[in-house]
Amino acid sequence: MQAPGGPKEDTSGGFKYGGWTEPYGDEVYGKVVQKELQQPADYLLGRKTFEIWEGYWPEHADFWPGINDGMKYVMSKTRKKSDWKNSVFIKSLADIKKLKKSTGADIQVWGSSKLIQLLLKNDLVDELKLKIHPLTLGTGKKLFDNGAIPASFTLIESTLTTTGVIIASYKRAGKVKTGTVGA
């Protein structure tokens, strides 16, 4: 999930495949992304993702109309403020739980691999919106890593692009159910 947008987006850990999503863009993919960007939302971001966004999105709101107006809750132990409007810094899992219980716009997480892993580990994910590309990178940041609680999800929508990308939305469906195959 690291550096989907460009070669210089996030080279941490020596990652050299930045921009890996570009060859898979098509009209179908573009329409799905534009629909996602039109949804009113607030955002929960890790510090590294926030710092990448903070230097880009304030000047590119024509592409993502709501990004500057949505609240950006940033999980950080080191940052305390930003000049980017509607940015609030939080420090703990307790802050995230309080935010999840609040009313208002949906809260979306984009990027932020360590933050997503923390949410999955603490059963704080209501929905997953995945873009599954037909490639393996071998290295880089992972969406699913050790520590996610066992959980089941139900597919609520899916789209297949002409380049083979599967775009799927899953809602949380409770505990994992098991059984015997063929019984």
Side-chain angles (χ1 to χ4, degrees), residues 160-171:
L160 177 61
T161 72
T162 63
T163 59
V165 178
I166 300 168
I167 303 170
S169 295
Y170 296 90
K171 279 220 185 259

Side-chain angles (χ1 to χ4, degrees), residues 48-112:
K48 290 178 186 175
T49 298
F50 177 79
E51 288 176 350
I52 292 167
W53 284 25
E54 163 183 53
Y56 183 83
W57 285 116
E59 304 302 321
H60 295 88
D62 54 323
F63 185 79
W64 193 344
I67 191 60
N68 290 321
D69 296 328
M71 289 298 298
K72 288 151 298 278
Y73 299 97
V74 185
M75 182 77 149
S76 177
K77 294 177 182 173
T78 58
R79 292 275 309 258
K80 296 186 183 353
K81 64 179 185 158
S82 172
D83 291 335
W84 191 11
K85 73 176 184 175
N86 299 327
S87 298
V88 174
F89 291 84
I90 60 176
K91 294 182 180 184
S92 68
L93 184 61
D95 292 335
I96 294 172
K97 288 179 179 180
K98 184 189 293 184
L99 183 60
K100 186 171 176 12
K101 290 179 182 177
S102 66
T103 59
D106 283 348
I107 300 170
Q108 298 179 358
V109 179
W110 290 67
S112 307

